[in-house]
Amino acid sequence: MSGKMPAGGRRQPTIHEVAATAGVSIGTVSRVASDSPRVAPETRARVQAAMAELGYQPNAAARAMRTNQTKTIGFLIPDMTNQVFARVAQGAEAVFAPEGYMLFAFSSNRSPAREIEFLQAARQRRMDGLIVTLSDETATGTIEELKRMGVPVVVLDRDIPVEADVVYSEHIQPIETVVGQLLQLGHRRIGLITASHNIRPGRDRVTGFKRALEKAGVPVDEWLIRARTQSAERGAAEAHDLLTGPNPPTAILAAGSDIFYGALKAVRLLGLSIPDDVSFVGADDALLGELVYPPITVIDRDMVEVGRQAAGLLIERLKGLDMPPRRIMLGSSVILRSSIAAPKGMPERR
Amino acid sequence: MSGKMPAGGRRQPTIHEVAATAGVSIGTVSRVASDSPRVAPETRARVQAAMAELGYQPNAAARAMRTNQTKTIGFLIPDMTNQVFARVAQGAEAVFAPEGYMLFAFSSNRSPAREIEFLQAARQRRMDGLIVTLSDETATGTIEELKRMGVPVVVLDRDIPVEADVVYSEHIQPIETVVGQLLQLGHRRIGLITASHNIRPGRDRVTGFKRALEKAGVPVDEWLIRARTQSAERGAAEAHDLLTGPNPPTAILAAGSDIFYGALKAVRLLGLSIPDDVSFVGADDALLGELVYPPITVIDRDMVEVGRQAAGLLIERLKGLDMPPRRIMLGSSVILRSSIAAPKGMPERR
DNA sequence: CATCACTATGTAAACGTCAACATGGCTGCC
DNA sequence: GGCAGCCATGTTGACGTTTACATAGTGATG
């Protein structure tokens, strides 16, 4: 275990060295490397032996220059430590790997400036395609950069003025369902904490929320709707503010995984009991909902499937199929658990 | 919003087009692109205007061919949906971004075959350096491939026969501490569920566990030690098996985040109460430990810092510093919460 | 047996960039 | 005023592949 670092900058063998070792020309080596049929079996074997001996791996940059393909897909997400996005990446990866593409995942940390940096880096690297989840639909710089890409782009759950395939998640209906449930239990003041209006999920959840209230003839109190940044801190702050306000809600909807964590923590810190003091609904982390006590009702969706679908759309584009932009809508489900009950001092109706 | 997809394969402008537009030679454009000082201010401005007009981004592949640098770092992790690894990536990213490097994160899903594939892809792409977390130290193919890399490698928390910088996490001491606590509370049968012996964390945790028992003169029952695959399913299965066995433990240590989830779920499914029926200690997910009821004692560590340190080591290597392999050991802490108590029917001692 | 049609292999140009070298105009100094 | 030296810019050859084209064998066929 002594001597130089393996890191010592050893030069990688080139096609020329393989050719010399095998006693053939570089053209033949190239043909063997790319599985061209026009090579005699005996020669092929000799070249393969030379490759193995030298540990040859073709230089992707040189190859990219000639072929205009990098076999690389860029994947832009707001936050890779968020399981929701990590699962999408996992689903996409599973589809791309067998096709020989590598996924280049990048976290913007919800900064449009970092998103632009990523898109530029992706363009410099001439990535073959992109899957993006923007953190703000109104950031024009990002949209401009996206339009310059020149390669297929699949957009996840955002409405932006770019001609691209999109994979949407259903947000209106599950919120409507769960708010309907709460209303039926007798809740009249329900707090909603979700993402900003600048992204589709935030807007749709507010839409679903209001729609459910209107259907039941319950007036909308804008004070109860908190559509801001998606983070645990924000979730905690909003939940705290709602629950310590003059006329607090009897139920809280924490729609977004980080918001879910923060809001739940705030409820705990206030020493409130679920569902006796306040009913609680989380989202996007079914496992957490299951592990805590009491188990928490959550709005859940299959993010791995989102990744798979997005990858599928992109691969079809990469195969050169020319067609109008497509949109896929994937469902969400409500997992009912014991964190919701009739509000305090009110017997469950019916 | 009509017409062709932006995806329409628009060719990216080259340095030649920029040169033609600006009315200069490609050499001058190259000098402007790489901030060389030998350019007249007026010319520089004209070239920059041309670049902006055409949306020029230099071709990374061509640049890589000339400079032998890709400004790309490969990051191999067992599972990107695991927060522990995602945080390491985040920490490393934060260090690399300002240096102009991009991080290429890849999940092996704990398959040595996939690890080899990744290492080969990394070599083809001539990545400038690597940070790797192997899923099995005994997989010789992976080690071989690692030795061929020819670029600096930083290894995370593994003992492998490769000359590389390593960032370790402390595993022995925190386990010893927490087992010591449990012994003092009166526990004599403690179950340990952790990763396989094929990786350092698994071995070290078992070492710490046995050491604590030996110090207290408590005999080691191998049946109570479950060092196998790191997954929620495995964690659940082992916990179930331990708790339904003929002579079950009075405390469970679920050392590993996925194992933690699974084991906790198993305890819930068995209808056991924590800490009345069984004391419980988790690891690597302090937030979950805080959100569940009762809050759970966890062994915690700062994974973002692990990423930062690893990135720091790699960057020094990339700067060409020649030095012997270095090792950094980062601490772990025990966050005591109410999930541990004296075993049933035994008053807390002292 | 000469020619044809293949087949296996070699050769060379091009991909886009950088950087070493070449060029030419200008400044300043004796 | 002539020339040294410098500065801005242009020219060119690599970097490692792929691939179209060239070439030289090898049978088969009339």
Side-chain angles (χ1 to χ4, degrees), chain A residues 24-25 27-28 31 38 40 43 65-66:
Chain A
V24 298
S25 76
T28 302
R31 276 182 282 264
R38 306 276 60 136
T43 310
M65 286 214 62
R66 277 290 304 181

Side-chain angles (χ1 to χ4, degrees), chain A:
Chain A
M1 228 44 21
S2 64
K4 295 243 303 284
M5 295 280 300
R10 179 155 84 274
R11 248 190 72 266
Q12 296 290 330
T14 72
I15 206 171
H16 289 95
E17 292 161 56
V18 175
T21 305
V24 298
S25 76
I26 59 160
T28 302
V29 177
S30 174
R31 276 182 282 264
V32 172
S34 47
D35 277 320
S36 157
R38 306 276 60 136
V39 182
E42 192 263 342
T43 310
R44 178 183 303 275
R46 217 168 58 235
V47 171
Q48 284 168 338
M51 284 176 170
E53 183 190 334
L54 298 172
Y56 171 75
Q57 289 286 345
N59 182 323
R63 197 169 250 191
M65 286 214 62
R66 277 290 304 181
T67 63
N68 276 315
Q69 274 203 77
T70 55
K71 287 289 183 179
T72 299
I73 303 296
F75 189 49
L76 175 65
I77 52 180
D79 176 7
M80 83 175 292
T81 66
N82 186 319
Q83 295 241 15
V84 170
F85 303 117
R87 284 201 201 103
V88 182
Q90 193 184 36
E93 235 288 321
V95 175
F96 283 122
E99 302 278 335
Y101 287 93
M102 276 203 89
L103 211 61
F104 211 134
F106 183 86
S107 268
S108 67
N109 293 321
R110 299 195 161 80
S111 150
R114 299 259 300 150
E115 290 179 352
I116 291 176
E117 282 172 35
F118 171 74
L119 293 176
Q120 290 179 343
R123 196 140 64 88
Q124 288 188 6
R125 288 177 168 72
R126 304 294 193 264
M127 294 184 185
D128 295 332
L130 249 53
I131 301 180
V132 301
T133 306
L134 301 187
S135 60
D136 184 350
E137 294 171 1
T138 66
T140 51
T142 316
I143 308 284
E144 284 312 302
E145 206 53 58
L146 222 33
K147 286 182 174 162
R148 287 204 186 90
M149 288 304 304
V151 295
V153 174
V154 173
V155 172
L156 299 185
D157 219 8
R158 298 290 181 271
D159 283 319
I160 53 173
V162 167
E163 290 232 0
D165 298 324
V166 190
V167 179
Y168 292 112
S169 288
E170 173 65 54
H171 296 295
I172 298 182
Q173 176 267 319
I175 287 272
E176 237 187 296
T177 304
V178 87
V179 172
Q181 293 262 352
L182 290 168
L183 289 168
Q184 198 171 352
L185 285 168
H187 292 273
R188 285 300 169 267
R189 292 188 64 71
I190 303 169
L192 172 69
I193 313 173
T194 187
S196 142
H197 280 91
N198 288 348
I199 58 175
R200 202 187 93 99
R203 281 196 308 278
D204 275 9
R205 286 180 186 134
V206 170
T207 301
F209 183 75
K210 289 186 174 173
R211 198 174 286 177
L213 292 181
E214 279 156 20
K215 252 190 209 162
V218 175
V220 171
D221 179 351
E222 292 287 345
W223 183 81
L224 290 170
I225 300 178
R226 309 297 173 100
R228 306 278 293 275
T229 320
Q230 195 151 13
S231 75
E233 293 67 35
R234 186 89 234 153
E238 299 288 12
H240 182 93
D241 190 63
L242 283 169
L243 293 169
T244 56
N247 191 3
T250 57
I252 294 247
L253 247 84
S257 60
D258 288 322
I259 290 172
F260 178 13
Y261 306 142
L264 183 55
K265 195 163 158 181
V267 170
R268 296 259 190 258
L269 286 174
L270 287 169
L272 296 174
S273 158
I274 296 172
D276 297 339
D277 297 323
V278 61
S279 285
F280 194 99
V281 177
D284 287 340
D285 192 333
L287 179 64
L288 175 68
E290 187 177 3
L291 291 179
V292 300
Y293 187 82
I296 291 184
T297 295
V298 294
I299 296 169
D300 193 37
R301 47 191 170 136
D302 184 347
M303 299 313 292
V304 175
E305 181 62 17
V306 170
R308 272 192 226 111
Q309 293 289 339
L313 289 176
L314 192 47
I315 281 183
E316 286 182 27
R317 289 274 174 221
L318 293 170
K319 296 214 164 124
L321 283 68
D322 200 11
M323 53 193 126
R326 292 159 300 169
R327 355 213 102 187
I328 293 179
M329 170 77 83
L330 295 177
S332 298
S333 55
V334 176
I335 304 176
L336 281 174
R337 295 201 269 241
S338 48
S339 67
I340 62 178
K344 212 182 257 183
M346 176 173 308
E348 186 167 348
R349 296 199 292 181
R350 176 181 296 270

